[in-house]
Amino acid sequence: MSRDRLLREARDLDRGDPLASFRQRFFDDATDTIYLDGNSLGRMPADVGEVMSEVLAHQWGSRLIRSWNERWLALPDTLAAQLARLLGSHSDEILVGDSTSINLFKLAFATLKLQQGRGRIVTDCLNFPSDRYILQGLIDQHFPNHRLVTVGTSDGITIDAHAIRRALDTDTALVSLSHVAYKSAFLYDMKEITDMAHQVGALVIWDVSHSAGSVPIDLNHCQADMAVGCTYKYLNGGPGAPAFLYVRRDLQDALDTPIPGWFGHAKPFAFATDYEPDRGLRRFAVGTPHILSLVPLECSLDLLLQAGLDRLREKSVTQTEFLLALFRSHLEPLGFELGSPTNPQHRGAHFSLRHPHGYQINQAMIRPKGTDVPIIIPDFRPPDMIRMGLAPLTTSFEDIYRAAVRLRDIVEREEYLHFSATPSGVT
Ligand SMILES: *Cc1c(COP(=O)(O)O)cnc(C)c1O
């Protein structure tokens, strides 16, 4: 395909995009910046400033502690109801709060206690490091006779479902996987893997951090046991926004939280001497909700629900397919390699490209020397992956076209040689 033809195609796709107008619902600093990190920190909804000012001036500033009863105690439930619609669950199966890592700790601990007599935890080598640290930490500190089994990958990009099946046995207590892999964007068939685990009596915790808000999820339909996920990526909740956890209804009362805090007590404001767990998954709440960090999430979840996950997914698949076509025509001849699956059914919304000079190329994208070139912000994951975080709600097809052209130019003109090959800070 000729290069100009792809630019024309990008513009045609943008003109025909029913979700194109959502870009204007997000803050715009009017610089020529192409943001490709929506899978790491989503954009800020435009109305967050106004909503936050009201919360600060009125709710905190003026109403002070009265706001807990007037607004704040109900906020996590309001958000849980919105999230439930995005995740295909009932609202009483979602609890908002803490971080993804802490939620995984709580649910994994509770699962291992429930599954007494089973000593195997299954994960894969593409899982997010924090998830692996937490599972290994549980073994080291609390379950010394358990074993973490890591399913490998043959191509560094995908995991074969048969390999998961082979790792499962009747000794398996827990399967803990990321629905979409943070580096390669490999996407599991949630129902297939959940069914496999159930056949041997294992329970599954899905980490949906990299799929929530970009891939349709139907936790109830998949009969998913548990899930955790964060809200600052495709859910645009803002830096460090609280995470969520999901537990299916009929499992909730069987699980005990390892952190029995007062917000998980049946009557927190009775200030009883002894702990009594709240009903259902509310017992997994620990302490006071992070109100200021929760407020922006209401704005962004509204936007996602308006756009609709099916339409977002359709656009997302077209976008990653378009990037794949650009890769073939512009980048493959220059030594770039694919870091993501070619089958869109097994691919999330982001797309990774590998190059031996990946870190330097990434720096040249973010800090171009010339003034006539756009600033492009992807991110980098070692050893050589440039992650293009395409967020279907806010990324345009022309953004993708320009990013690919820029990648080509940086390598063709050896611009990356101006940058150090040693990573530092948040990459
Ligand atoms: C981003 C991400 C996390 C982040 O966890 P925090 O505790 O919120 O920092 C966890 N798991 C996966 C798969 C992620 O992509």
Side-chain angles (χ1 to χ4, degrees):
M1 252 196 271
S2 90
R3 285 169 180 176
D4 284 346
R5 201 179 131 199
L6 283 168
L7 175 58
R8 271 205 311 280
E9 188 180 331
R11 291 183 172 156
D12 285 346
L13 285 164
D14 281 330
R15 265 192 297 275
D17 173 14
L19 302 178
S21 64
F22 278 93
R23 178 66 188 83
Q24 289 140 34
R25 312 278 297 272
F26 288 83
F27 184 82
D28 187 354
D29 68 357
T31 61
D32 190 11
T33 303
I34 295 173
Y35 188 65
L36 298 180
D37 230 338
N39 63 323
S40 200
L41 176 65
R43 280 185 179 274
M44 183 175 98
D47 54 355
V48 163
E50 204 178 305
V51 172
M52 282 300 276
S53 304
E54 201 279 331
V55 171
L56 294 176
H58 179 71
Q59 296 179 24
W60 182 14
S62 172
R63 298 302 293 163
L64 285 161
I65 201 159
R66 290 168 289 189
S67 286
W68 278 111
N69 285 327
E70 289 165 4
R71 301 292 299 264
W72 297 340
L73 282 176
L75 183 57
D77 289 340
T78 307
L79 296 169
Q82 285 176 302
L83 277 167
R85 290 173 57 199
L86 286 176
L87 300 171
S89 74
H90 302 288
S91 32
D92 61 5
E93 293 173 314
I94 304 281
L95 182 76
V96 176
D98 296 324
S99 69
T100 307
S101 305
I102 291 174
N103 287 333
L104 177 64
F105 172 83
K106 290 186 290 191
L107 293 184
F109 195 114
T111 304
L112 298 182
K113 283 281 182 201
L114 179 70
Q115 297 271 63
Q116 296 272 353
R118 290 172 176 250
R120 205 170 157 96
I121 303 171
V122 173
T123 186
D124 70 35
C125 66
L126 303 183
N127 204 353
F128 193 69
S130 192
D131 296 37
R132 294 184 46 87
Y133 304 155
I134 281 165
L135 299 173
Q136 188 60 52
L138 275 171
I139 293 174
D140 294 344
Q141 298 177 33
H142 303 282
F143 299 90
N145 297 321
H146 280 58
R147 194 158 71 89
L148 184 62
V149 176
T150 302
V151 175
T153 166
S154 55
D155 57 4
I157 295 173
T158 60
I159 303 281
D160 184 357
H162 299 294
I164 300 280
R165 189 190 295 280
R166 281 195 296 276
L168 299 174
D169 60 15
T170 52
D171 188 40
T172 307
L174 168 66
V175 179
S176 175
L177 297 169
S178 287
H179 186 209
V180 167
Y182 78 106
K183 272 206 268 196
S184 74
F186 169 69
L187 167 64
Y188 274 110
D189 181 332
M190 184 184 276
K191 181 146 176 43
E192 179 190 23
I193 302 291
T194 303
D195 286 346
M196 268 184 208
H198 288 172
Q199 274 164 27
V200 296
L203 294 171
V204 189
I205 303 177
W206 286 103
D207 186 334
V208 297
S209 293
H210 258 87
S211 53
S214 63
V215 176
I217 298 175
D218 197 338
L219 292 168
N220 284 167
H221 169 74
C222 295
Q223 295 179 300
D225 305 302
M226 289 161 280
V228 295
C230 69
T231 61
Y232 49 80
K233 294 173 178 162
Y234 295 105
L235 299 181
N236 307 296
F244 59 87
L245 60 80
Y246 154 91
V247 182
R248 66 175 156 83
R249 270 182 183 163
D250 56 338
L251 195 58
Q252 294 177 359
D253 289 328
L255 295 172
D256 291 322
T257 176
I259 314 177
W262 72 305
F263 262 73
H265 192 283
K267 299 188 189 93
F269 295 98
F271 297 96
T273 319
D274 293 321
Y275 178 73
E276 182 197 331
D278 201 350
R279 73 198 141 81
L281 93 171
R282 288 172 174 276
R283 68 190 56 181
F284 281 100
V286 181
T288 309
H290 300 89
I291 296 302
L292 295 183
S293 299
L294 285 170
V295 166
L297 194 53
E298 198 173 350
C299 307
S300 63
L301 293 179
D302 257 349
L303 292 173
L304 281 156
L305 287 167
Q306 283 171 38
L309 253 296
D310 288 331
R311 287 201 298 174
L312 282 165
R313 175 65 177 164
E314 195 181 327
K315 177 173 174 186
S316 166
V317 169
T318 311
Q319 291 200 318
T320 48
E321 288 288 278
F322 184 59
L323 182 53
L324 186 57
L326 284 159
F327 163 80
R328 298 274 185 231
S329 63
H330 288 56
L331 304 174
E332 201 169 19
L334 293 172
F336 285 90
E337 286 178 33
L338 284 178
S340 289
T342 47
N343 177 357
Q345 255 191 311
H346 281 292
R347 187 172 69 217
H350 68 282
F351 202 108
S352 289
L353 298 169
R354 318 179 68 154
H355 192 283
H357 300 292
Y359 180 71
Q360 290 162 286
I361 295 169
N362 199 52
Q363 287 299 305
M365 297 277 271
I366 299 169
R367 298 187 284 138
K369 301 282 184 205
T371 49
D372 54 343
V373 280
I375 295 169
I376 302 182
I377 310 181
D379 69 12
F380 175 77
R381 290 292 175 267
D384 59 358
M385 276 204 182
I386 301 168
R387 280 196 317 182
M388 315 280 270
L390 316 178
L393 198 55
T394 54
T395 304
S396 72
F397 288 89
E398 195 165 338
D399 286 345
I400 300 170
Y401 175 83
R402 292 177 74 201
V405 167
R406 191 63 199 124
L407 281 171
R408 178 199 64 195
D409 290 349
I410 288 168
V411 173
E412 255 177 13
R413 301 174 190 158
E414 298 191 325
E415 279 181 52
Y416 62 89
L417 291 176
H418 299 296
F419 296 87
S420 158
T422 315
S424 63
V426 174
T427 60

